[in-house]
Amino acid sequence: MRDLKIYDFRRALPRMSWAPQNLYNLWQRSLGQRKDETDFGSRATPTSIFQQRWIAKTLVRAYHGDFINEGVFKRWYIPDTLPDVRPRKDLSQQSISLKRWSRKDDAAGKEEKQRDENNQKGFAPVGSLMFAEVERRIDVIIFRACMARSVYDARRLVIHGKVLLNGKKHTAANTRLAPGDMVTVDPAAIPFLQRPVRAKAKETSDAKASSESESSETDESGVFSTKPILKEDSKYKQTQTYFKLPSYAAPFIFIPAYLEVSFATCSAIYLRHPTARPGYSELPTPYAADGEIIDAAWEWYVHRRPRIRSKRRLAREPGNRQLADL
């Protein structure tokens, strides 16, 4: 692994992993003693704007794509702009009063109702969508589909040829999927579907014991006894799929709305890109989708993002085939 101290308790940086150490770091940043470090507005000795953006950038990069080179991340994974969530029409009180004065009560009532709904819903938390391109990566998709304990294990599965993309063997972990792509993982490579060595040895001994007990149930004449055998059929037990969920993995067992996962075939379909609506963001993140950390991280990158991108390089990405003709 590139960084052996990714779960360091002193730094307490949450990662894409089910490890118990990562769960403790996540608790430190959300509810524990490190929570106040990211509460920029209420600190007794507030940090500078530059320091706030640097801390936020460090936290979000540790979770969203710490395995991606910083230069590559800024050039190819940060969007040019975020979606505009402002209302299409400025429904001010002056326009509503003008329509009521012109005796257009129905139109004024509709505008007033729409204005109240917009004020009640608020704006969509689109700040988290700055990491939408990271969620398209094939290794992140495997982790989000709960087929790997961490995104690092998912990368190993891809690199070692244990993953199929649309039915073909794929070994490039940097590939970004397009809507409709299907990813299939070899069940023999998923660790929590494999029986431990001790369990296999125990089942073998149980099978031998059951066969010996069946042979001992015969009488002197060599005819099998009619007494029922209460032991479970060892052959039936061997046909069942073994499953052992790792410890402390329950907080991470969820499927995003933009994925369709089939655990019977160990496959997942990338349906569409993540979206956001008022009060909800589909992109999984350990931080508030419209909080200070996401906003400060976006402010950091928007001032340092490279402006020049190769059209030929963009044409290679899934979903950007129309650029190939430019």
Side-chain angles (χ1 to χ4, degrees), residues 89-139:
K89 296 181 180 179
D90 185 13
L91 305 178
S92 61
Q93 183 63 34
Q94 184 177 2
S95 62
I96 296 176
S97 301
L98 181 60
K99 289 189 177 181
R100 290 193 183 279
W101 177 81
S102 60
R103 296 183 181 181
K104 298 180 180 180
D105 296 335
D106 295 339
K110 290 182 180 179
E111 286 195 6
E112 189 173 7
K113 183 178 179 180
Q114 187 177 357
R115 184 192 63 182
D116 296 339
E117 290 179 354
N118 293 336
N119 294 335
Q120 184 178 2
K121 291 181 179 179
F123 293 148
V126 297
S128 60
L129 296 182
M130 64 183 291
F131 305 107
E133 292 297 313
V134 178
E135 295 295 319
R136 292 176 54 189
R137 289 174 57 98
I138 187 172
D139 49 3

Side-chain angles (χ1 to χ4, degrees), residues 73-219:
F73 182 82
K74 289 190 295 185
R75 182 173 293 274
W76 301 109
Y77 287 90
I78 295 298
D80 293 331
T81 57
L82 292 177
D84 189 3
V85 296
R86 294 172 296 179
R88 294 182 179 180
K89 296 181 180 179
D90 185 13
L91 305 178
S92 61
Q93 183 63 34
Q94 184 177 2
S95 62
I96 296 176
S97 301
L98 181 60
K99 289 189 177 181
R100 290 193 183 279
W101 177 81
S102 60
R103 296 183 181 181
K104 298 180 180 180
D105 296 335
D106 295 339
K110 290 182 180 179
E111 286 195 6
E112 189 173 7
K113 183 178 179 180
Q114 187 177 357
R115 184 192 63 182
D116 296 339
E117 290 179 354
N118 293 336
N119 294 335
Q120 184 178 2
K121 291 181 179 179
F123 293 148
V126 297
S128 60
L129 296 182
M130 64 183 291
F131 305 107
E133 292 297 313
V134 178
E135 295 295 319
R136 292 176 54 189
R137 289 174 57 98
I138 187 172
D139 49 3
V140 177
I141 293 297
I142 294 174
F143 172 72
R144 297 297 185 199
C146 299
M147 297 181 188
R149 296 179 181 177
S150 66
V151 71
Y152 315 108
D153 292 342
R155 287 175 58 82
R156 296 189 192 98
L157 292 176
V158 178
I159 295 173
H160 294 168
K162 305 297 182 180
V163 176
L164 302 179
L165 177 59
N166 296 328
K168 297 181 180 180
K169 185 177 179 180
H170 194 78
T171 57
N174 300 325
T175 302
R176 281 179 272 181
L177 305 187
D181 287 344
M182 184 177 67
V183 178
T184 306
V185 182
D186 186 4
I190 301 178
F192 39 83
L193 295 182
Q194 311 307 316
R195 297 180 182 271
V197 178
R198 295 181 179 178
K200 292 181 180 179
K202 185 178 179 181
E203 289 180 359
T204 305
S205 60
D206 292 344
K208 292 181 179 179
S210 61
S211 61
E212 292 177 359
S213 62
E214 290 177 359
S215 61
S216 63
E217 290 294 334
T218 59
D219 56 10

Side-chain angles (χ1 to χ4, degrees), residues 8 22 24 34 60 69 82 171 204 276 295 301 314:
D8 189 3
N22 183 63
Y24 178 72
R34 308 293 294 271
V60 299
N69 181 271
L82 292 177
T171 57
T204 305
D295 293 343
Y301 280 113
L314 287 174

Side-chain angles (χ1 to χ4, degrees), residues 27 42 47 79 101 119 132 140 156 185 255 261 265 292 320 326:
W27 173 82
S42 61
T47 57
W101 177 81
N119 294 335
V140 177
R156 296 189 192 98
V185 182
I255 305 296
V261 181
T265 59
E292 294 178 332
N320 296 336
L326 297 179

Side-chain angles (χ1 to χ4, degrees), residues 307-318:
R307 300 294 179 179
I308 301 175
R309 298 184 181 182
S310 171
K311 293 183 178 180
R312 182 179 301 178
R313 177 71 179 272
L314 287 174
R316 301 175 190 170
E317 299 294 336

Side-chain angles (χ1 to χ4, degrees), residues 16-34:
M16 291 189 187
S17 174
W18 297 359
Q21 300 88 338
N22 183 63
L23 183 60
Y24 178 72
N25 290 335
L26 181 60
W27 173 82
Q28 287 193 79
R29 289 294 180 180
S30 57
L31 301 173
Q33 61 271 23
R34 308 293 294 271

